Every structure is written in C-alpha cells, then in structure tokens.
Amino acid sequence: SQTIHQWPATLVQPVGSPLSLECTVEGTSNPNLYWYRQAAGRGLQLLFYSVGIGQISSEVPQNLSASRPQDRQFILSSKKLLLSDSGFYLCAWSSSRGLGYGYTFGSGTRLTVV
Amino acid sequence: DQQVKQNSPSLSVQEGRISILNCDYTNSMFDYFLWYKKYPAEGPTFLISISSIKDKNEDGRFTVFLNKSAKHLSLHIVPSQPGDSAVYFCAASSFYGGATNKLIFGTGTLLAVQP
C-alpha cells in the first residue's frame, strides 16, 4: 500500500534562518507531488507541484522553493524565513494516471517563525 | 481570485441531525469535486467525490450533491455524530484536464456536532 511521510511534525525557526521540509512517498512510482500551506484561518493554498524528477511548477511567488531530486522525494526550502512563512505545511501525492480518490496528504508540519 | 468558495466558516449541529456543508465554484472547466475532512494538526483525509456526469453520490452517512447549472455542491451528513466535528474542505479539479491533477481547495468549514 502507498504511504506518505512528512517531517518534522513541528518546527520553530527564527526569522532569517533556512528551511528544509522533506516528504517521501512509498509504494508507488511516478507520483504527482504537491506542497500546500494552510495559514491561520485560511484555506489550503497550493504552493508547488511536480509531475516528475526535476520538474517543479510554482503557483504563487514567494520566499520558498521546491525540489524533487528523486522520483518519490519532494523538498520544500527557504534560504531566509520570514514571519509570514508561518503556517501548516502539507505534502500530498496523486497518481499520475488520474485523480481517482484525489490526493493523499501527509500529516503536516507546523512551522512557526519567530 | 477564489475559484472554490465555502462561504460558511463554521457550522454547529446537534448530534443525530443533518449537517449540510455548502461549496460554490466559478470555473466551468471543473468537472471533478471532492470533499476532505481535516482534524487539527493532521493532514486532510478524503471523504467523498463526485464527477460532473452525476448529480449525487452517496457513501454511508455522507452524500454529495452537485448542481452544475448553479455551480454549487453540498455535503450532507446524516445522522451527524460528535466524531464528525472537523474542518471540511471542498476541492475541485478538471479531471480530464491533463497530467497535473491540480486540486483547488475552498477555505473550509468548521463543523461542530454538539452531543
């Protein structure tokens, strides 16, 4: 069966520090991968998606970047965090064959920038 | 530009009664709709979906209705249980629209089921 792992679960980082959040998927190949953010009191905002290794599409201009160094690994990064980067970050995957049952989400990372 | 809207940020319902969560969309290219349930500090979990060729899909206590002419869908939970208390997100996509499978989510509705 397919599983998705996301870590760390919580993170407190000072303003100006770097960020690296990692997500890995098991039990499937060539998944579509996504990073979403839920800011306080807001909905789920799509940040990045990837349909293959090295293929990254950005949905919103921001202080973050994403990379996909391996087929089932998706990384969210920042060189210098801003206070506005605080939020709940979610990684998700879907089958490249179609939406079917939609996305499967990871358990999320609560990022607090202080 | 919010393409998927959930205009009710919260809803309170008595246990055993019906919960009705609403969602509106603006993009006529959307042809696949999903509902997700989210508990605090957890990732959303898939609940139920419907394609635009149907106007109703049922799964146990959960039923989703789609009104394409009004660009409106709703989720009915009958009977509501305290364990249903969570944030519910509506999401939409163009199912046959390409390889990206992008889902556009609404802002969510917090459902509180009172015992």
Side-chain angles (χ1 to χ4, degrees), chain A residues 32 34 36 38 42-44 46 49 51 59 88 90 94-108 110, chain B residues 32 34 36 38-46 49 87 89 93-95 98-108:
Chain A
N32 288 355
Y34 311 86
Y36 279 82
Q38 183 184 19
R42 306 281 298 275
L44 297 174
L46 179 61
Y49 66 91
V51 298
E59 285 293 294
F88 191 58
L90 289 156
S94 72
S95 170
S96 57
R97 292 191 298 274
L99 269 173
Y101 291 97
Y103 293 175
T104 299
F105 283 89
S107 53
R110 170 71 60 193
Chain B
Y32 194 62
L34 306 92
Y36 279 80
K38 184 183 179 302
Y39 293 116
E42 293 184 11
T45 54
F46 170 78
S49 64
V87 176
F89 288 99
S93 178
S94 177
F95 187 58
T100 64
N101 295 343
K102 282 198 296 182
L103 280 180
I104 307 300
F105 284 85
T107 50

Side-chain angles (χ1 to χ4, degrees), chain A residues 1-70:
Chain A
S1 62
Q2 303 91 356
T3 56
I4 180 168
H5 303 280
Q6 187 182 341
W7 67 94
T10 59
L11 194 58
V12 180
Q13 292 284 100
V15 169
S17 64
L19 172 75
S20 181
L21 302 180
E22 190 163 343
C23 172
T24 59
V25 180
E26 295 178 359
T28 188
S29 60
N30 195 30
N32 288 355
L33 297 172
Y34 311 86
W35 279 110
Y36 279 82
R37 176 172 63 197
Q38 183 184 19
R42 306 281 298 275
L44 297 174
Q45 181 185 35
L46 179 61
L47 303 177
F48 300 94
Y49 66 91
S50 171
V51 298
I53 296 174
Q55 301 179 58
I56 308 295
S57 296
S58 173
E59 285 293 294
V60 291
Q62 59 205 317
N63 185 41
L64 302 167
S65 62
S67 62
R68 185 170 177 174
Q70 300 180 46

Side-chain angles (χ1 to χ4, degrees), chain B residues 24-74:
Chain B
D24 298 293
Y25 61 96
T26 58
N27 190 338
S28 58
M29 296 299 293
F30 289 150
D31 53 15
Y32 194 62
F33 305 89
L34 306 92
W35 285 94
Y36 279 80
K37 177 180 179 180
K38 184 183 179 302
Y39 293 116
E42 293 184 11
T45 54
F46 170 78
L47 201 55
I48 193 168
S49 64
I50 188 168
S51 75
S52 59
I53 62 174
K54 294 185 173 182
D55 54 19
K56 176 183 174 181
N57 189 26
E58 196 170 353
D59 183 1
R61 296 187 296 114
F62 302 92
T63 302
V64 56
F65 296 91
L66 175 62
N67 183 333
K68 291 184 288 294
S69 60
K71 294 192 179 68
H72 177 84
L73 64 155
S74 61

